[in-house]
Amino acid sequence: MAAEKIMNKKHRKKQDPVDIVMSVITYIVYTFFAFVCVYPFYYIFINTISSNDLSARGKVTFWPKEIHFTNYVNVSNIPSLMSAFQISLARTVVGTILTVGASAFLGYMFSRETMWMRKFWYRLVVATMYFNAGIIPFFITMKNIGLYNTFWVYILPTVVAPFYIVLCKTFVEAVPKELTDAAELDGAGTMRTFVSVIIPVIKPILATVAIFSAVAQWNSFQDTLLLVSDPKLFTLQFTLYQYINQASSLKALVNSTGNAASLAASLAHAATATSIRMTVTIVVVAPILLVYPIFQRYFVKGIMIGAVKG
Amino acid sequence: MKAKKIVSLFAATAMVVGTLAGCGGGAAQPAATDSGTPAADTSAPAATPSTDTASSDAAAPAADAAGGNDLLELEIYDAAANYQGLQTGWFDKVVKDRFNLDLNIIAPQVAGDAIYQTRTSSGNLGDIVLLDAVDFADCVKAGLIKDISADISNYSNLAGFMDQINVYNSGLEGNSGQIYGIPTQMMNSSPTSYSQDVIYSSPLLRWDYYKELGMPDIADLDGLVDVLAQMQAAHPTNDAGDPCYGVSLWPDWDGNDNMLGIANVVQLTTWYGEKIKDSAILKADGKTFTPITDKTATYYKMLKFLNKLYKAGVVDPDSGTQDWNAACAKMSAGQVNMFWYSWQVGFWNSQERLDNGTAMIFVPVGDQNYYVDADPYYGSGRVFGVGAGVDDAKYKRIMDFLDWYASPEGLQFEHSGIEGFNYEVGADGKYTAINDNALMDNLPVPEEYGGAGYNDGNNQINEWIVSANAINPNTGETYAKDYWSSWKAATQTQMKKEWADRFGAAEPAEWMKKNSKLVISPNVTVPLGSDTADISVTRNQCNETLCDYSWKMIFAEDDASFDAMWDEMAATMDGTGFQDLYKFDCEKWQPQIDAKNALQ
Amino acid sequence: MNKKKLRGYREFLYVLPFIILVLIFAYYPLYGWVYAFYDYKPPKPLSESLFVGFKWFHYMVDNQVKRKQIFQVMLNTFAISGLSMAFSWFPMMFAVFLNEIRNKPYKKFVQTVTTLPNFISWVLVYSIAFCVFNSTGVVNSLLMDFGVIEKPIMFLQSSKHIWFKMWLWLTWKNAGWAAIMYIAAITGIDEELIDAAKVDGANRWKTIWHITIPSILPTYLVLLFLNMANFLSNGMEQFFVFQNSFNKDYIQVLDLYVYNLAMGGGGYSLATAIGVLKSVVSIVLLCVMNGISKLTRGEGFI
C-alpha cells in the first residue's frame, strides 16, 4: 500500500498539457457512463421499496414513495429458498474452480508446440463455440450418460469452455519464452512449469475467467429447467425464475377457469409482476456485488514479470 | 508423486470413457469424473461441501414405488400449472393425509416448449399427464399414455362421468373402445345450456360515466365509439391526474391458444356471434367457415372499429408497445373506460366500487349478438391421462388419487377451500364464505390445516376434472362461492339494482337470453388433428404477418390506407401459404363443428 | 528425438480427459442434426417422421414473398452485426482510459457500476425503457413541459435509427462487462515497459498509443475474429423484447426470425436446419479469418 503510493508519486512529475485535457475528458465521459449505468439500478431499487401500485403506474422515478419492504419479505418467504441457495453456491464454487482450472490448463497445454496433434485438438475444441446440436439430442445425451437429475449436470458440460481457453491461451502466449525455458532447464516438468510459472503470471485473466464463469453459473437456470426435475436440486435462480413466472403467466388461469372471483383475486395479486422481477434482480445481484471486489484485487496491481524473471 | 498423478489421470480417463460407453445404462456414477478433472491439476478440488449427498440422493431413480403406502412422489406434467416444483402448504397436507403422495409439478408454462419436446423425446412425460386436447391425442398416438379402460369403471367418482369420458375417447384417431383420457372441468348440466351470469367477452363500461350520459341506448359500434368519446371528453383523466382512455390494448397475447391475429380483436369478434378457430372464422350460423382475411367477416369489422376508436382519439397510444402487466396497471388505476374480457373487472370492481356505482358492467349494444361456449359438460378442452411408463403399484395410487380428485370431497377442497377457513357451514347445510381475501392477500393458514400462505399452498395443478360451477351434492349449490345464495345476498348492491331496472334483467346473461342475444355453442371436447411441421411454420408466419399489419391498421390515419394495408397483408399471407393453412384448419375443426351440430 | 515425441504423447494424455468431455457434450449430440432432414414434430418419434431431404434448408427462399422477407432479415442481421463489429474497440478503449484514472476509489466505483447493466435481464430492460419512453413517461413529459413537442413521441414504436438504438442498448449493457477482459489484459502488461517509457518522457497519450494498446491488441484481435465468425448470430432476447409490429421490419434479425417461425415445436426441423447452416458459415468464416490473420500477422489465431 505504502509502496504503491511512493510509486505513484514517482510518476507524478510535471503534468503534460495533453494529459490534463485527457484527464478532464476521461472524468466527464466516465461519470456520464457511470450515471447511465447506476440510475437504472437505482430506479429498480427504489421501485422495489415503493408502493407497488405507484410503481406499476410508473410514478416512482427519482425517490422512493410510500416505502415498504413486503416485496423482500415475500421473496424471503419462498419455500426452500435456503436449499436452493446452497445448490447455487455449490454449483458456483465447484463449477468455477473446475472451469478456471481447466481453462488455464488447456490454455497452457494448447500453447505447447510439443503436444501431439496440438493444432487439431485445439481447433476441435474451439469449433464447438459455433455448434449447437439442439435441445433434444442434448437432453437425450444427458439422460443416456446418467447426468439427468444429478448435481453434475450443472458442472460437467461447462468444464471445457472454449472461449475461456482461447482467452487463457492468448495470455500464456504473451509470457516470455525465457521464463518457461528457464524453469524447464531447472528440471521442472510440464506440470510444475504450469503451476509455478504460468499460473502466477496469468492471474489477472484467471480472475476474469473466474468472474465470468461464476456469474454464468450463478445466473443459469435453463439447465435446471430442462435437465432437472428433482426439487432438491433446484437452484436459487431457477426458484426465483419460477416465482416470477408464477406471477406473470396467468393467461392459463384466465382461459381455463370458470371461477371468476378467485380469478380476479389472483389477477390482482399478479399485477405486481414487474415489482417481483425487480426485487428478484436486486436479490440476485446483491451477492455478486459483494463478491466482486474480491476479484477486483487481482486487477489492481500490475504483474512484475521482471521480478519473476529474477 | 508424478507417477501417482498419472495413474489417477488414467483412472479418470477410463471412467470418462466408461461413462461414454455406458450410454443408455445410466449406470456410470458421474461423480467419478469429479476426481478426474482436477487431478489434471492445480486448483483446490477439496472445498465441495454437502453437494455430493444431494446428487446421490437425486440419482436414485424415483420409480422404486414398491410398498403399499410409503411416501411416493408423482411427477405431474401439467399444461395448466404456472408453478413448477413440489406442492406445498395446505393442499399438500390434504393430499398427504389421504394418499401420502408428494406432487411434483412439471409446468411447461414455466419451462417453455422445450420441456415438452425433450420429455416426449425421452418417452416419459410424467406419471400424471395433463395436456391440451391436440397434444393429448398426439401423445396417445406416440404411446406415451396408458390405457386405463380396464380399471376406470371401478372408480365410482370417475365412473360418474363415463358418458363424457367415452365421448372424448371414442373420438381419438384409430381408437377402438380404449380409454386413455379424462376431460377436465366436466359438468352434469347439459352441453347446450349456459349457467353463468356473465359471459367471457362483452362490452363493459364504467357505470357512473354511463349514467352521466343519461344511460343512452347504444345502437351499434358507431354508437359505442360516440359514447366512449363522450366519456373521455367528460373525464380526460382519472382522480390521480393520469390520462384516461376508451380502450387500452396489449400485444403480448397475440397468436396464442387457437387464434391467429391480435388476441384482443379475436375476442371482440364474438360480439357478433362469430368465433375464430385458428385461421378460420366460424360464422354465426355455427356451420360455415370463412377465412380470417375475409373483408366481410368480423375480424375486419372489429379491426375497423378499433381504428374508428383511434381516430376518435380514445385508444391508448401505448397499446402497441405495452405488455399485459402495464395494461393491467392502467385497468386498476381507472384509466380505461371499456373492458371486454370478463376477468378484467377483477382489476377494478371491488365491493366498494360496486356500492358507490363506479364499477364496470355490461352495457348492451343494439345490433350485437354474443357468442359463448356452453357449459363444459364434455369438458373444457384439456385432458388428464396416466403416463405409459408407470408400474402397477404406482398406477393404482394414481387412480386412487384421480378418483378422489373428482369426488365431492376433493372438489370442495379444490374449489371452495378449507372448511372453517374459507367457508362455514350454516344450519341449513349451505355454505357461507369467510376470509374471502385469502387468495388475494395470501392469508396465513392455521397450522392445523398445513400452515403457510393460502395462495402459496393452493392447489398448483390448477386444473380440475369437474367444473367449479358444477353442483355440490352436499349443498345443492355450486362449488364456487360466486353462486352461493349467501354470497349473492352479501354482494347485492345499489348499482346492480339500477342496472336491473334499466335493462329489465337481474344479470347480463339473463338479459342476453331474454332478448335472444346469446349464441350458445354446444360444448364438446373433440380430439383435433395436430399441425404438421409445415403447417406449424406456416401458421407462425401467417400469424406474424396478420398481427403486424393489424396493429398498423388500428393506428391507420384514414380508410384508404387501412384498406391498402389489408390488401397488402392478404397478399403477403397468401405468399407464405395461407390458403393451405386455411384448408387445413377447416378440416381440423370440422369434427368439432359436426359434433356441436349433432347436439343441437 | 524419440524423447520429444514421447513427451508430445504424454502431453496429449493430459488433455485427453477434456477432449473426451468435449466429444461427449459437444460432438456426440451433433447426431441431432439429422432432425433437419425430417418433418419432425414432437411427440412423434423421429423413426416415424417423414424424411424430406433438404426441404428445410431452402424453405426460407422457396418463393418470392419469403425471399423478400429473408432479404430484409439478412440486411438487419448484417447491419446490426456490422455495427457491433465496427465499434468492437469500444470496450477495449473503455478499459484503457479507465486504467488511466489515478483516483483509485473512483476507478473502482466506475469499474463496478458499469458492470451493473449486465445483470439486468432484457425483459426488465424493456420494462424500464417502457417506463421512461412511453407516451406519458419521463422523457415525453419533460419534452412536453418544455414545449418542445405537442404530441408525445412514440419512441418505442419508431423504427428510425433502430439499428443504432439497438447497438446503444447493447453497448450500455455489455461494455462494462466486456471491459473486464481488457482490464485484465492491461494488468498483465509488464510495468517495466511503462516505467521505461515514462523515463523517456512519454506523456500518457503516448504511453497508451505505444505500449498499452499494442500489448492488448492480440487479445482484441482474437476476440474480434472469434466474434466475426459469429456474424449471423445476434442472439434474440434483446430484439425479442424490443420488437413490436411497428418496428419489426427493421429489428428482426436472423435469430429472432427463426425463433418467431419455429415457435411451438413444429419448427424444430427448420430451426435445426438454420442452425446447421449457421454452424457451417461460422466454421468457414473462422477459416477465412484465420487465413487473413496468417497473411497479415504472420500467424493464425487458432
Side-chain angles (χ1 to χ4, degrees):
Chain A
M1 205 42 203
E4 220 171 84
K5 262 192 188 136
I6 294 164
M7 292 269 289
N8 281 345
K9 276 224 178 86
K10 209 171 73 188
H11 292 319
R12 203 175 298 150
K13 324 175 246 189
K14 255 204 171 157
Q15 285 278 359
D16 194 300
V18 181
D19 287 356
I20 296 171
V21 173
M22 206 176 85
S23 270
V24 173
I25 296 177
T26 312
Y27 272 94
I28 293 174
V29 170
Y30 279 100
T31 307
F32 172 75
F33 203 85
F35 173 77
V36 172
C37 292
V38 170
Y39 175 70
F41 220 75
Y42 171 75
Y43 176 88
I44 292 173
F45 179 70
I46 58 173
N47 271 280
T48 58
I49 58 169
S50 297
S51 146
N52 286 341
D53 185 41
L54 291 174
S55 159
R57 283 156 50 203
K59 296 283 168 197
V60 182
T61 38
F62 296 112
W63 48 83
K65 290 176 186 163
E66 300 177 24
I67 295 178
H68 70 115
F69 295 96
T70 34
N71 286 328
Y72 291 93
V73 173
N74 287 342
V75 169
S76 69
N77 284 340
I78 299 174
S80 59
L81 207 59
M82 208 50 220
S83 96
F85 177 78
Q86 282 165 359
I87 295 286
S88 276
L89 194 65
R91 75 173 283 183
T92 305
V93 171
V94 178
T96 305
I97 290 172
L98 291 182
T99 306
V100 171
S103 305
F105 182 65
L106 291 176
Y108 166 62
M109 290 310 286
F110 285 136
S111 70
R112 293 191 61 92
E113 275 155 26
T114 41
M115 194 214 284
W116 178 61
M117 288 180 48
R118 176 184 70 108
K119 282 217 153 152
F120 173 76
W121 299 120
Y122 181 53
R123 286 173 183 169
L124 188 83
V125 172
V126 171
T128 59
M129 257 198 270
Y130 303 101
F131 292 156
N132 181 3
I135 48 162
I136 291 180
F138 189 68
F139 176 85
I140 294 176
T141 306
M142 291 305 198
K143 217 161 175 163
N144 286 345
I145 61 178
L147 283 186
Y148 181 77
N149 245 348
T150 67
F151 177 73
W152 294 101
V153 83
Y154 297 141
I155 309 291
L156 291 183
T158 63
V159 168
V160 182
F163 181 71
Y164 304 149
I165 295 173
V166 172
L167 271 185
C168 290
K169 181 165 173 276
T170 326
F171 262 70
V172 172
E173 277 166 353
V175 176
K177 259 258 170 290
E178 313 96 70
L179 268 177
T180 43
D181 288 351
E184 273 167 33
L185 274 180
D186 289 348
T190 314
M191 289 303 205
R192 265 270 299 286
T193 315
F194 173 62
V195 176
S196 55
V197 178
I198 299 294
I199 295 245
V201 182
I202 63 168
K203 258 186 196 157
I205 197 65
L206 294 188
T208 307
V209 172
I211 292 173
F212 282 11
S213 95
V215 167
Q217 284 282 0
W218 181 255
N219 280 342
S220 169
F221 60 85
Q222 294 284 357
D223 42 13
T224 318
L225 213 60
L226 287 178
L227 297 167
V228 172
S229 65
D230 181 351
K232 281 196 286 294
L233 289 174
F234 285 176
T235 59
L236 182 66
Q237 270 287 357
F238 179 73
T239 309
L240 295 172
Y241 167 81
Q242 278 183 169
Y243 179 63
I244 292 174
N245 256 38
Q246 221 176 318
S248 55
S249 79
L250 281 153
K251 211 169 47 171
L253 203 62
V254 165
N255 287 333
S256 73
T257 187
N259 189 339
S262 68
L263 179 65
S266 318
L267 289 172
H269 188 71
T272 58
T274 309
S275 315
I276 289 173
R277 186 167 273 127
M278 289 177 166
T279 312
V280 164
T281 302
I282 298 284
V283 168
V284 168
V285 176
I288 300 178
L289 287 183
L290 289 179
V291 177
Y292 190 47
I294 299 174
F295 286 101
Q296 265 181 338
R297 228 159 38 113
Y298 291 96
F299 297 136
V300 175
K301 221 181 151 200
I303 309 291
M304 302 293 280
I305 290 179
V308 184
K309 256 190 280 188
Chain B
M1 180 65 199
K2 208 158 145 197
K4 210 173 146 196
K5 251 181 194 160
I6 293 173
V7 169
S8 77
L9 197 67
F10 266 111
T13 313
M15 278 171 185
V16 177
V17 174
T19 320
L20 180 61
C23 285
Q29 269 300 318
T33 38
D34 171 31
S35 60
T37 336
D41 197 53
T42 73
S43 24
T48 64
S50 79
T51 51
D52 280 359
T53 43
S55 68
S56 55
D57 278 358
D64 59 351
N69 216 17
D70 299 338
L71 181 63
L72 177 67
E73 183 179 306
L74 293 185
E75 275 192 355
I76 304 183
Y77 182 89
D78 188 343
N82 50 27
Y83 167 88
Q84 179 149 301
L86 285 181
Q87 172 73 51
T88 58
W90 66 267
F91 193 74
D92 178 48
K93 183 171 160 49
V94 168
V95 174
K96 273 226 180 72
D97 286 352
R98 286 162 183 77
F99 301 99
N100 206 17
L101 290 174
D102 256 333
L103 307 180
N104 186 9
I105 292 164
I106 315 285
Q109 293 204 48
V110 174
D113 286 339
I115 200 147
Y116 178 71
Q117 298 177 3
T118 51
R119 288 183 80 94
T120 51
S121 71
S122 76
N124 178 19
L125 208 46
D127 299 325
I128 295 178
V129 174
L130 171 65
L131 289 167
D132 290 325
V134 174
D135 291 338
F136 193 86
D138 276 355
C139 286
V140 170
K141 240 191 277 175
L144 295 166
I145 309 291
K146 196 175 175 78
D147 177 358
I148 54 173
S149 0
D151 308 285
I152 190 161
S153 48
N154 301 331
Y155 294 92
S156 60
N157 294 305
L158 293 173
F161 292 94
M162 232 29 228
D163 173 31
Q164 290 95 319
I165 293 172
N166 279 328
V167 166
Y168 170 76
N169 284 279
S170 63
L172 287 168
E173 194 185 320
N175 187 5
S176 49
Q178 285 94 344
I179 289 174
Y180 294 96
I182 304 166
T184 54
Q185 299 198 39
M186 294 182 285
M187 284 178 79
N188 268 329
S189 55
S190 115
T192 53
S193 62
Y194 187 75
S195 52
Q196 294 188 58
D197 285 343
V198 293
I199 64 171
Y200 190 65
S201 181
S202 57
L204 309 164
L205 300 177
R206 262 289 282 266
W207 183 247
D208 53 336
Y209 293 176
Y210 179 66
K211 248 171 41 180
E212 275 174 21
L213 298 177
M215 300 199 273
D217 279 325
I218 303 172
D220 51 19
L221 290 175
D222 288 337
L224 189 55
V225 174
D226 283 345
V227 166
L228 287 171
Q230 288 172 39
M231 281 183 179
Q232 191 166 326
H235 302 275
T237 64
N238 67 0
D239 296 340
D242 300 315
C244 277
Y245 308 106
V247 294
S248 185
L249 313 160
W250 59 94
D252 51 339
W253 284 21
D254 291 356
N256 282 315
D257 308 311
N258 298 336
M259 354 176 253
L260 219 58
I262 299 182
N264 299 156
V265 182
V266 167
Q267 276 317 321
L268 294 177
T269 60
T270 60
W271 291 3
Y272 285 90
E274 300 189 356
K275 173 75 177 172
I276 291 184
K277 304 275 185 191
D278 292 322
S279 64
I281 300 181
L282 178 64
K283 305 279 277 182
D285 63 9
K287 292 188 176 70
T288 42
F289 284 120
T290 187
I292 196 164
T293 51
D294 181 352
K295 265 189 171 180
T296 61
T298 45
Y299 189 83
Y300 179 89
K301 185 184 173 93
M302 299 320 286
L303 207 57
K304 195 106 194 190
F305 165 61
L306 289 174
N307 181 238
K308 276 181 194 155
L309 287 175
Y310 166 71
K311 284 187 282 189
V314 299
V315 175
D316 177 359
D318 292 317
S319 289
T321 49
Q322 68 187 349
D323 63 1
W324 183 67
N325 290 306
C328 292
K330 286 175 184 161
M331 295 173 210
S332 52
Q335 288 177 264
V336 185
N337 294 333
M338 182 174 84
F339 291 166
W340 58 95
Y341 290 97
S342 59
W343 54 261
Q344 281 180 294
V345 301
F347 285 104
W348 178 252
N349 288 11
S350 59
Q351 194 57 42
E352 189 194 339
R353 289 188 179 127
L354 284 163
D355 282 333
N356 68 22
T358 57
M360 310 286 286
I361 196 160
F362 167 68
V363 173
V365 174
D367 66 344
Q368 290 182 349
N369 196 14
Y370 305 95
Y371 172 98
V372 72
D373 281 315
D375 289 341
Y377 176 83
Y378 286 111
S380 67
R382 291 207 179 98
V383 186
F384 275 107
V386 180
V390 303
D391 59 28
D392 287 350
K394 205 176 201 178
Y395 173 51
K396 189 179 172 308
R397 292 181 67 176
I398 290 173
M399 290 306 286
D400 285 344
F401 171 73
L402 285 178
D403 188 53
W404 172 83
Y405 202 66
S407 71
E409 188 200 53
L411 290 164
Q412 283 187 132
F413 281 112
E414 293 157 41
H415 296 309
S416 320
I418 311 163
E419 183 178 338
F421 182 74
N422 297 91
Y423 61 89
E424 281 168 339
V425 184
D428 56 353
K430 306 241 187 247
Y431 297 168
T432 308
I434 51 174
N435 289 332
D436 57 283
N437 58 340
L439 197 63
M440 189 178 350
D441 295 339
N442 198 20
L443 291 186
V445 175
E447 231 21 78
E448 53 173 315
Y449 302 128
Y454 182 78
N455 188 33
D456 297 338
N458 203 5
N459 172 17
Q460 304 288 12
I461 297 174
N462 203 20
E463 185 61 278
W464 311 273
I465 294 175
V466 180
S467 164
N469 297 317
I471 301 300
N472 181 350
N474 296 334
T475 62
E477 295 187 317
T478 59
Y479 289 104
K481 68 168 187 272
D482 310 49
Y483 296 98
W484 295 351
S485 48
S486 59
W487 181 257
K488 287 217 159 180
T491 55
Q492 183 56 268
T493 58
Q494 179 60 31
M495 181 181 139
K496 285 288 272 298
K497 284 192 196 108
E498 285 171 15
W499 188 90
D501 290 344
R502 170 67 177 82
F503 295 110
E507 298 285 352
E510 191 190 319
W511 180 88
M512 293 172 192
K513 284 180 198 161
K514 237 176 162 171
N515 295 283
S516 315
K517 297 284 192 190
L518 195 61
V519 181
I520 301 176
S521 178
N523 204 335
V524 278
T525 300
V526 174
L528 300 167
S530 71
D531 287 0
T532 61
D534 282 286
I535 289 294
S536 160
V537 176
T538 306
R539 185 184 302 288
N540 286 337
Q541 206 156 14
C542 286
N543 177 53
E544 290 273 310
T545 311
L546 181 60
C547 291
D548 291 348
Y549 276 99
S550 298
W551 280 108
K552 288 181 197 159
M553 277 184 257
I554 292 177
F555 292 93
E557 295 302 334
D558 54 65
D559 286 352
S561 61
F562 185 96
D563 283 311
M565 277 191 255
W566 182 275
D567 295 338
E568 199 182 313
M569 172 189 88
T572 310
M573 284 169 73
D574 280 343
T576 47
F578 179 75
Q579 293 310 328
D580 297 337
L581 177 65
Y582 175 63
K583 204 170 138 243
F584 178 91
D585 284 335
C586 288
E587 283 166 19
K588 170 182 169 184
W589 290 99
Q590 197 56 48
Q592 195 201 47
I593 304 307
D594 292 344
K596 279 177 187 266
N597 289 329
L599 286 167
Q600 249 165 356
Chain C
M1 190 61 209
N2 207 6
K3 207 176 154 197
K4 201 177 166 194
K5 221 172 185 177
L6 216 67
R7 182 178 177 171
Y9 287 132
R10 205 179 65 224
E11 285 175 342
F12 168 66
L13 281 183
Y14 287 149
V15 301
L16 180 62
F18 300 100
I19 300 285
I20 289 171
L21 283 179
V22 170
L23 291 178
I24 296 174
F25 293 121
Y27 283 93
Y28 173 62
L30 288 187
Y31 77 84
W33 279 1
V34 300
Y35 286 91
F37 301 95
Y38 288 83
D39 266 355
Y40 174 71
K41 182 167 181 282
K44 201 180 196 181
L46 190 66
S47 53
E48 290 167 28
S49 302
L50 189 68
F51 180 82
V52 294
F54 284 91
K55 174 175 121 183
W56 295 111
F57 288 86
H58 45 73
Y59 178 84
M60 298 249 196
V61 288
D62 63 11
N63 75 36
Q64 192 55 42
V65 172
K66 287 185 198 164
R67 272 197 290 272
K68 211 176 116 197
Q69 282 184 353
I70 194 77
F71 177 77
Q72 183 62 44
V73 166
M74 292 316 286
L75 193 67
N76 301 339
T77 309
F78 274 68
I80 290 174
S81 285
L83 260 180
S84 59
M85 296 298 154
F87 287 99
S88 59
W89 48 266
F90 186 81
M92 177 174 74
M93 294 321 282
F94 183 89
V96 167
F97 285 100
L98 184 68
N99 187 56
E100 293 304 317
I101 293 178
R102 286 282 174 258
N103 184 338
K104 283 267 162 64
Y106 181 73
K107 181 171 156 184
K108 256 193 160 173
F109 170 75
V110 172
Q111 197 189 330
T112 308
V113 298
T114 49
T115 59
L116 282 177
N118 181 60
F119 300 111
I120 307 177
S121 65
W122 280 116
V123 184
L124 195 51
V125 169
Y126 184 76
S127 300
I128 298 173
F130 182 79
C131 286
V132 176
F133 292 111
N134 74 31
S135 65
T136 55
V138 183
V139 174
N140 271 315
S141 308
L142 282 180
L143 290 178
M144 280 163 73
D145 287 349
F146 287 119
V148 181
I149 50 171
E150 276 174 14
K151 258 183 87 178
I153 301 176
M154 304 306 297
F155 291 101
L156 296 167
Q157 279 189 16
S158 127
S159 51
K160 263 188 220 153
H161 314 299
I162 190 83
W163 298 334
F164 181 68
K165 282 191 250 174
M166 286 299 112
W167 174 79
L168 269 185
W169 281 112
L170 189 68
T171 302
W172 167 77
K173 198 165 186 292
N174 282 351
W177 190 242
I180 294 180
M181 284 180 291
Y182 297 107
I183 292 172
I186 293 169
T187 321
I189 297 174
D190 193 341
E191 294 244 324
E192 279 182 357
L193 287 174
I194 297 171
D195 286 345
K198 291 216 164 120
V199 170
D200 290 348
N203 63 17
R204 274 154 71 186
W205 177 246
K206 276 191 180 143
T207 330
I208 289 175
W209 190 245
H210 292 292
I211 297 183
T212 316
I213 291 185
S215 306
I216 61 178
L217 207 59
T219 309
Y220 169 70
L221 286 177
V222 168
L223 292 179
L224 179 66
F225 289 147
L226 289 179
N227 273 333
M228 278 187 158
N230 232 350
F231 206 76
L232 291 179
S233 308
N234 305 93
M236 70 113 213
E237 242 198 304
Q238 177 188 4
F239 308 101
F240 179 78
V241 300
F242 277 98
Q243 72 170 344
N244 57 52
S245 297
F246 308 93
N247 66 16
K248 199 182 274 165
D249 287 347
Y250 298 98
I251 204 174
Q252 197 159 239
V253 292
L254 184 62
D255 285 339
L256 178 61
Y257 185 63
V258 173
Y259 175 83
N260 283 339
L261 287 193
M263 268 186 305
Y268 191 86
S269 294
L270 174 65
T272 309
I274 302 299
V276 173
L277 282 179
K278 269 171 57 182
S279 297
V280 172
V281 170
S282 289
I283 297 298
V284 170
L285 276 175
L286 203 61
C287 295
V288 171
M289 290 297 152
N290 205 35
I292 293 176
S293 171
K294 266 183 191 154
L295 280 179
T296 53
R297 299 199 305 159
E299 51 170 349
F301 65 98
I302 55 165

